Amino acid sequence: MTLTREERQQFLAEPHIAALAVETGDEGRAPLTVPVWYQYAPGRDVWIMTGLGSRKERLIARAGRFSLLVDRVEPSVRYVSVEGPVVSAAPATRQQLVEITARYLPARKVASYVEFAEKELGEQVVIHMRPQRWNSAELGPI
């Protein structure tokens, strides 16, 4: 059963790990698909953070769009996928790094992860995508 607009937006707003897919443009190769942290609030753009100059960032810049898929298997099988155009890309701020880290890690681990990321991961970029196409389903309990 397809989710309502409100149900799919609320589900996407939960802190799931997303599978990001972006076309590679390479004949004979499938799209790049990788797990990512993301941020979303109902009715807003989705954003991700990635390394400046990374393969993912270069492919997204070239394609101008990407898709995300989030799912769960308990207490029921449910998924939401969203696809749309990139609407902005800008250097990541410390505040954004803290925000996305706090979404996924326990509060006691946020400061140490942020410190690690700032020292070890290099310059980051935040890429905003405007959801245009949604797919969703509630498949019931397994």
Side-chain angles (χ1 to χ4, degrees):
M1 170 178 242
T2 302
L3 301 175
T4 67
R5 179 176 188 218
E6 293 76 23
E7 289 171 329
R8 71 185 186 205
Q9 287 186 353
Q10 184 56 46
F11 186 72
L12 188 62
E14 296 171 4
H16 303 281
I17 303 296
L20 179 144
V22 60
E23 65 183 70
T24 63
D26 298 333
E27 189 173 324
R29 287 199 66 179
L32 173 70
T33 305
V34 294
V36 294
W37 288 356
Y38 69 94
Q39 182 61 288
Y40 176 74
R44 308 289 302 265
D45 294 337
V46 174
W47 63 266
I48 63 157
M49 185 179 292
T50 191
L52 181 63
S54 66
R55 181 170 186 239
K56 183 180 358 169
E57 189 262 339
R58 291 190 320 269
L59 290 173
I60 291 170
R62 184 168 71 191
R65 61 190 320 102
F66 63 91
S67 62
L68 294 177
L69 168 70
V70 297
D71 65 345
R72 72 165 192 223
V73 295
E74 291 180 0
S76 62
V77 177
R78 178 180 275 197
Y79 76 87
V80 169
S81 70
V82 63
E83 181 261 331
V86 171
V87 294
S88 69
T93 66
R94 186 171 206 282
Q95 179 181 350
Q96 289 167 319
L97 177 59
V98 170
E99 178 182 339
I100 203 161
T101 302
R103 177 173 164 86
Y104 289 95
L105 297 182
R108 69 183 189 285
K109 295 191 175 197
V110 171
S112 62
Y113 181 82
V114 168
E115 182 180 332
F116 160 79
E118 290 177 328
K119 288 181 181 177
E120 303 295 330
L121 298 183
E123 192 172 349
Q124 301 286 300
V125 61
V126 170
I127 302 169
H128 286 253
M129 178 259 281
R130 176 132 324 123
Q132 275 187 339
R133 293 182 183 89
W134 293 77
N135 293 298
S136 62
E138 172 70 50
L139 304 175
I142 48 177

